[in-house]
Amino acid sequence: MVAIRRAVRVTGVVQGVGFRPYVYALARELGLSGHVGNDVHGVFIEVQGDGVEEFLARLPADAPPLSVIEDITVAEVEPQVESGFRIVESAGSQSGEVTSIPPDTAVCEDCLRELRDPDDRRFGYPFIACTNCGPRYTMVTGLPYDRANTSMADFPLCAACEAEYTDPGSRRYHAQPTACWECGPQLSMPVAAVVAALNQGQIVAIKGIGGYHLACDGLDSEAVDRLRRRKQRGDKPFAVMVADVSAAERIAVLDSASQELLASPARPVLLLPSRDAGLQGHVAPGNSFIGVMLAYTPLHHLLFDAGAPAVLVMTSGNVSDEPICIDVQESQMRLGAIADVFCHHDRVIQVACDDSVFRVIGEVPQPVRRSRGYTPSPISLPRSCPPMIAVGGEIKATAAVASGRRAWLTGHIGDVENLETLQMLERSVGVLADLERVMPEAVVSDAHPGYMSRTWAARYATDNGIDHIEIQHHHAHLASLMAEHGVDEPVLGMVFDGTGYGVDGTIWGGEILLGGYDGVQRVGHLKPVSLPGGDAAVRFPSRVALAHLFAAGVDPNGTAAAQSTDLRLVQQMLRTGSHCTPTTSMGRLFDAVASLLDVRQAVDYEAQAAIELEALAVGAADPWTAQVEWDGDDLVIDPAGWIRAAVDSHRRLVPVAWAARAFHAGVAQAVVVAACAVRDREGVGTVGLTGGVFANAVLTRDCVAGLTAAGFKVLVHRIVPPNDGGLALGQVMVAGAGS
Ligand code: ZN
Ligand code: ZN
Ligand code: FE
């Protein structure tokens, strides 16, 4: 009888997830001989024996939980004389497509059990981990993914750990982060001391997986206010951490989709309807949602087990606009004026990775920030693109590396408005390009001449002798939505955001675009208004309201916006047009309405007025109407009707909840009317909702319902955020199409 031997190659997220021991166990069970190993491409296997067919059938079906198989190729090879099945040494660097590093993962149930077992040798050990859990991306220094190429190279294994690490039957076989009290990383202070500090109302800087957190007792309003003051945070919401799902249910309303996401291995922060008005008032004033996450590192569990406050504020350890701290010295320098106590550890964080943030819109989770737990999982692209990097926009920056049919996004970087964030952008994209072995042939940025990221891209291109490609902001938004859905046919994009540089040099943000990666046609937009002071008006919704009142021909006297002290100056600017920039921004329209309903006249953080307006929009109300009309080939949404309705509602003391609800419904109605108008001329059947304005759940729900009822297929974001955090994905798609 002739022996059967096959060479098998598996690509995807297959390293650092227990894939080799899984293959080993399966081959042994089926009595096969051969070997398995890692190289930069993924996992290579040779199997020989009668059970080869069964092996190939079961290989993808029973794969380990954290693995993501992209492709399996099988080739016939010559049978060999051999016995037994072996795990072979990792092969070094080669060129070509490479394997993917897994994201950082919450401590698993098995490790948690050992953590709490007084008889286990890792009882209470804050860095317990195995092949199914622990840090990955944030501790990798190179490929292949082996201990020598991680921060764990600093911690030689003790005899007991070594025995597990080399035993294919152990769940710590080649688990790179594995360690114990004897040989592994240590905290700089006892868990009990951290708990005591928190219970005394102190602010503790805690080094975690992808950076430092600033923690304090969420139920101690004085401590929360102190943290807010020291961090110069204004009214910007804090996220909180609780021990488990039942603790989360005490402070927030959970449905099954949110429970599942909250407890998933990625453990994102989830924005949930709040149950506790007192807590809400301090942690996220003016919001109806509270950002909640569950304990995800062994240390977090140890803190709650040891009696830490049941609700901990856990906010990124940074100074207002700077990136999150990852380094011991740096954290002491930068967070010294904020934290009372520091809890460090000695495992090096190679690259920062902030917590991810999601919200659930009608059972569908939507990312607000895609970072820890997701970075650097690749996103499959509907088209192949040449090797390139993309740097995103300015705020909520996230960069991307792409090659072939895959794109990898960095973690959340922040607002690239200072040198520190720019350096983090540079480092994050460099790390990712190295890990994925992408040698960029082009660097892609937004077209805004004032963005630091664009300037950086231009210099990077010159320094490296590669192309610099600029992509229009809203085109990139639409392409990102299409890419994550794998769509490659014309889509009608409702691209609504705060600010983006338009091809005519004005500020866009209420755009109706038709097309795809190769190009878009601007078929319509919100009617432009003159913004006094340009982008600076972002901080003052009252100014934006005055601009809209001026455009709508409504007398500002007696409106809520008129109390703004610079009324005469702003009106002067509007009349003469000096220092005014035309804008079609939908985000600014939300600001204007928030001002006219006297919800907010000045903001502390981006989109605050719109977020508070959304929070007020409850119940049901008849939509406010606005005119949507063709002006030649230009479909124009004129917001004047909404502006008049807002002024009128405020004057007649209509409840703000009702007015806010009617405005949201009105915008959704205009979206449906606009989509139908374009369909009548162009015959398009799919509408995409993208741009930061679609982080608004009320608006998104109304639009999806209305468009679906009108017979459209509707695309909303599920993988990358609708805000500028998703921009880089669209940038690579559009740049790739043009090259
Ligand atoms: Zn584990
Ligand atoms: Zn050990
Ligand atoms: Fe945008």
Side-chain angles (χ1 to χ4, degrees):
M1 190 180 127
V2 184
I4 302 170
R5 187 177 183 89
R6 295 284 183 273
V8 185
R9 178 157 281 294
V10 189
T11 58
V13 181
V14 289
Q15 294 182 7
V17 293
F19 208 87
R20 286 173 303 165
Y22 157 69
V23 170
Y24 175 86
L26 183 60
R28 299 254 296 205
E29 183 193 326
L30 297 172
L32 303 178
S33 66
H35 61 257
V36 58
N38 280 345
D39 61 16
V40 292
H41 306 278
V43 167
F44 58 90
I45 306 166
E46 290 202 9
V47 279
Q48 179 171 322
D50 292 340
V52 163
E53 289 307 322
E54 188 179 349
F55 175 88
L56 294 174
R58 282 174 59 185
L59 184 67
D62 303 336
L66 296 184
S67 65
V68 181
I69 295 177
E70 255 175 30
D71 194 29
I72 298 181
T73 56
V74 181
E76 286 185 31
V77 285
E78 281 295 302
Q80 292 177 13
V81 180
E82 70 179 354
S83 64
F85 193 88
R86 294 175 305 129
I87 295 180
V88 296
E89 281 294 300
S90 291
S93 84
Q94 292 161 45
S95 61
E97 288 241 319
V98 298
T99 188
S100 290
I101 297 294
D104 305 308
T105 302
V107 61
C108 74
E109 287 302 316
D110 289 332
C111 286
L112 209 47
R113 206 170 303 119
E114 290 175 2
L115 184 72
R116 289 171 173 154
D117 175 4
D119 295 328
D120 193 275
R121 69 188 188 86
R122 292 190 182 84
F123 176 59
Y125 180 58
F127 301 92
I128 189 168
C130 72
T131 50
N132 290 328
C133 75
R136 298 286 189 277
Y137 168 65
T138 52
M139 64 170 204
V140 176
T141 55
L143 282 179
Y145 176 69
D146 266 346
R147 194 163 173 111
N149 290 328
T150 71
S151 301
M152 298 307 287
D154 299 343
F155 304 96
L157 292 160
C158 68
C161 285
E162 176 84 32
E164 293 169 339
Y165 186 82
T166 50
D167 171 11
S170 162
R171 64 184 194 85
R172 293 202 168 82
Y173 177 76
H174 280 245
Q176 307 310 351
T178 193
C180 73
W181 286 111
E182 196 69 25
C183 63
Q186 305 291 341
L187 292 178
S188 65
M189 66 190 283
V191 167
V194 180
V195 171
L198 290 168
N199 280 322
Q200 284 158 17
Q202 293 189 298
I203 295 163
V204 187
I206 301 175
K207 187 177 178 186
I209 285 189
Y212 279 78
H213 279 120
L214 288 162
C216 74
D217 183 350
L219 300 172
D220 179 344
S221 56
E222 214 180 292
V224 178
D225 291 345
R226 200 178 329 119
L227 176 58
R228 198 174 278 292
R229 263 197 322 277
R230 289 188 190 169
K231 230 190 152 194
Q232 299 172 2
R233 181 101 173 158
D235 279 344
K236 200 170 177 184
F238 287 129
V240 299
M241 177 179 278
V242 294
D244 49 32
V245 169
S246 60
E249 270 177 323
R250 257 168 254 138
I251 58 168
V253 183
L254 302 182
D255 60 15
S256 60
S258 25
Q259 272 189 28
E260 195 180 311
L261 185 59
L262 206 55
S264 69
R267 294 285 156 99
V269 173
L270 197 51
L271 301 176
L272 295 164
S274 171
R275 265 189 214 285
D276 183 334
L279 174 67
Q280 177 80 39
H282 288 285
V283 168
N287 271 246
S288 51
F289 291 84
I290 183 167
V292 182
M293 66 182 143
L294 302 189
Y296 62 87
T297 69
L299 174 60
H300 299 153
H301 288 280
L302 290 171
L303 292 172
F304 287 115
D305 288 356
V311 179
L312 287 176
V313 162
M314 278 292 225
T315 187
S316 299
N318 62 351
V319 182
S320 48
D321 293 329
E322 292 178 9
I324 187 169
C325 293
I326 59 173
D327 175 88
V328 171
Q329 264 89 46
E330 160 200 47
S331 74
Q332 261 158 339
M333 237 169 53
R334 285 166 50 198
L335 305 180
I338 303 175
D340 300 306
V341 179
F342 282 84
C343 177
H344 304 290
H345 62 68
D346 53 359
R347 185 178 62 207
V348 176
I349 298 173
Q350 301 294 345
V351 58
C353 203
D354 239 310
D355 293 318
S356 293
V357 183
F358 276 73
R359 71 185 306 176
V360 175
I361 300 181
E363 302 267 299
V364 182
Q366 179 178 87
V368 176
R369 175 195 290 180
R370 181 185 186 271
S371 200
R372 178 187 50 77
Y374 300 90
T375 306
S377 298
I379 294 170
S380 306
L381 303 179
R383 285 188 189 181
S384 186
C385 71
M388 58 175 89
I389 61 177
V391 295
E394 180 172 64
I395 58 166
K396 300 179 165 64
T398 305
V401 167
S403 180
R405 297 291 291 262
R406 285 191 283 184
W408 298 266
L409 301 190
T410 66
H412 166 78
I413 289 162
D415 300 348
V416 186
E417 295 167 333
N418 52 51
L419 197 60
E420 290 79 9
T421 22
L422 186 65
Q423 282 166 345
M424 179 170 163
L425 172 82
E426 186 166 16
R427 167 148 181 82
S428 301
V429 79
V431 164
L432 208 50
D434 281 354
L435 283 181
E436 309 304 348
R437 312 243 163 153
V438 172
M439 291 280 291
E441 290 169 7
V443 52
V444 194
S445 75
D446 198 273
H448 197 305
Y451 283 1
M452 283 180 91
S453 61
R454 186 197 155 275
T455 308
W456 181 86
R459 204 188 54 228
Y460 184 91
T462 310
D463 290 353
N464 293 279
I466 60 174
D467 290 339
H468 173 208
I469 304 171
E470 296 174 26
I471 303 298
Q472 199 278 322
H473 192 91
H474 303 93
H475 189 190
H477 270 306
L478 178 58
S480 84
L481 177 64
M482 291 171 62
E484 69 158 75
H485 283 274
V487 167
D488 197 356
E489 65 208 3
V491 169
L492 180 63
M494 299 291 166
V495 192
F496 296 171
D497 65 1
T499 292
Y501 188 73
V503 295
D504 57 5
T506 69
I507 304 173
W508 287 11
E511 310 311 308
I512 306 175
L513 306 179
L514 176 61
Y517 311 117
D518 302 299
V520 284
Q521 186 196 344
R522 189 194 195 200
V523 291
H525 53 81
L526 196 64
K527 189 175 178 184
V529 298
S530 257
L531 208 53
D535 272 351
V538 160
R539 291 181 44 233
F540 302 104
S542 57
R543 275 192 179 203
V544 187
L546 293 175
H548 270 281
L549 290 169
F550 184 79
V554 177
D555 179 4
N557 286 296
T559 66
Q563 273 104 45
S564 128
T565 50
D566 51 5
L567 173 62
R568 287 174 67 188
L569 173 68
V570 172
Q571 280 200 293
Q572 177 71 19
M573 287 167 86
L574 286 166
R575 264 194 296 269
T576 60
S578 77
H579 301 288
C580 286
T581 317
T583 184
T584 54
S585 168
M586 185 62 83
R588 293 297 82 78
L589 175 67
F590 274 72
D591 288 348
V593 171
S595 163
L596 294 173
L597 296 177
D598 208 15
V599 172
R600 183 155 287 279
Q601 308 298 349
V603 301
D604 289 335
Y605 61 92
E606 203 256 332
Q608 181 178 8
I611 287 169
E612 293 181 359
L613 188 64
E614 180 194 348
L616 291 165
V618 290
D622 289 336
W624 288 351
T625 49
Q627 216 174 53
V628 182
E629 266 180 10
W630 288 105
D631 174 8
D633 287 336
D634 216 14
L635 186 62
V636 180
I637 302 175
D638 184 350
W642 296 327
I643 295 300
R644 280 192 293 268
V647 171
D648 196 45
S649 293
H650 185 64
R651 188 173 296 140
R652 289 191 295 114
L653 306 175
V654 169
V656 180
W658 191 91
R661 188 68 195 82
F663 170 61
H664 281 78
V667 175
Q669 189 180 62
V671 162
V672 176
V673 170
C676 291
V678 178
R679 180 169 60 187
D680 288 347
R681 286 199 181 185
E682 311 276 350
V684 66
T686 305
V687 177
L689 306 177
T690 184
V693 168
F694 286 103
N696 183 319
V698 175
L699 178 67
T700 303
R701 267 198 306 263
D702 281 1
C703 287
V704 171
L707 290 165
T708 308
F712 288 100
K713 185 179 169 205
V714 187
L715 305 179
V716 296
H717 283 278
R718 300 164 309 184
I719 296 173
V720 299
N723 60 45
D724 288 3
L727 222 47
L729 175 64
Q731 289 176 342
V732 299
M733 289 308 296
V734 177
S739 61

